[in-house]
C-alpha cells in the first residue's frame, strides 16, 4: 500500500529547515519505532523522495498491514512533531501532514 504524507502549511514551514536525507532518516526512525507497537512494515524509499521540501510530500510504502492504518499515521504525526519543533523558529505545530492513499 502506497501513501503520500502531504504536509500542511505549518508542516511545510517546519520541514524547510531539514535536508531530504534528514527527513527520510527522521521519518524512518520514528515509523520503525512505531512498528514495535503496530503490526505493520513501513518503508520510506529514497529514490521517490528526492524533493520532499519542494513537493511538500513524503511517500511511504506499507506492507504486512495488520493494524488500523489511520491510527498508525495519527500517532506518527504526533511523534514526528518533536524533532520538527526543535528547528521551527516560531509558532505551533498542529497537524504536520495529511495522509492520502495512492492507487497502485
Amino acid at each position: 500500500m502506497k501513501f503520500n504524507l502531504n504536509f500542511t502549511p505549518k508542516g511545510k514551514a517546519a520541514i524547510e529547515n531539514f535536508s531530504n536525507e534528514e527527513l527520510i532518516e527522521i521519518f524512518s526512525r520514528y515509523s520503525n519505532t512505531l512498528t514495535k507497537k503496530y503490526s505493520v512494515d513501513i518503508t520510506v524509499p529514497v529514490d521517490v523522495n528526492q524533493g520532499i521540501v519542494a513537493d511538500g510530500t513524503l511517500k511511504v510504502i506499507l506492507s504486512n498491514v495488520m493494524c488500523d492504518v489511520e491510527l498508525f499515521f495519527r500517532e506518527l504525526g504526533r511523534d514526528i512533531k518533536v524533532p520538527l519543533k526543535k528547528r521551527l523558529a516560531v509558532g505551533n505545530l498542529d497537524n504536520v501532514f495529511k495522509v492520502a492513499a495512492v492507487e497502485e
Side-chain angles (χ1 to χ4, degrees), residues 14 17-18 26 29-30 79-91 93:
N17 300 311
F18 292 87
I26 289 168
R29 188 171 354 118
Y30 277 80
D79 290 353
I80 211 73
K81 286 181 192 178
V82 174
L84 296 183
K85 274 185 186 178
K86 289 181 181 176
R87 292 198 198 171
L88 188 62
V90 238
L93 275 179

Side-chain angles (χ1 to χ4, degrees), residues 10-74:
K10 287 185 179 182
K12 286 180 185 176
I15 66 170
E16 286 176 355
N17 300 311
F18 292 87
S19 69
N20 259 7
E21 293 76 24
E22 289 174 314
L23 289 168
I24 290 170
E25 186 196 329
I26 289 168
F27 272 87
S28 295
R29 188 171 354 118
Y30 277 80
S31 57
N32 285 336
T33 300
L34 280 180
T35 60
K36 295 175 181 139
K37 180 177 177 181
Y38 294 95
S39 186
V40 62
D41 294 328
I42 184 165
T43 306
V44 183
V46 176
D47 58 327
V48 295
N49 284 305
Q50 294 300 313
I52 299 169
V53 176
D55 298 342
T57 301
L58 179 84
K59 296 164 182 72
V60 298
I61 301 170
L62 297 185
S63 57
N64 301 323
V65 180
M66 291 182 257
C67 68
D68 183 341
V69 173
E70 189 177 315
L71 196 58
F72 172 80
F73 281 122
R74 192 177 317 138

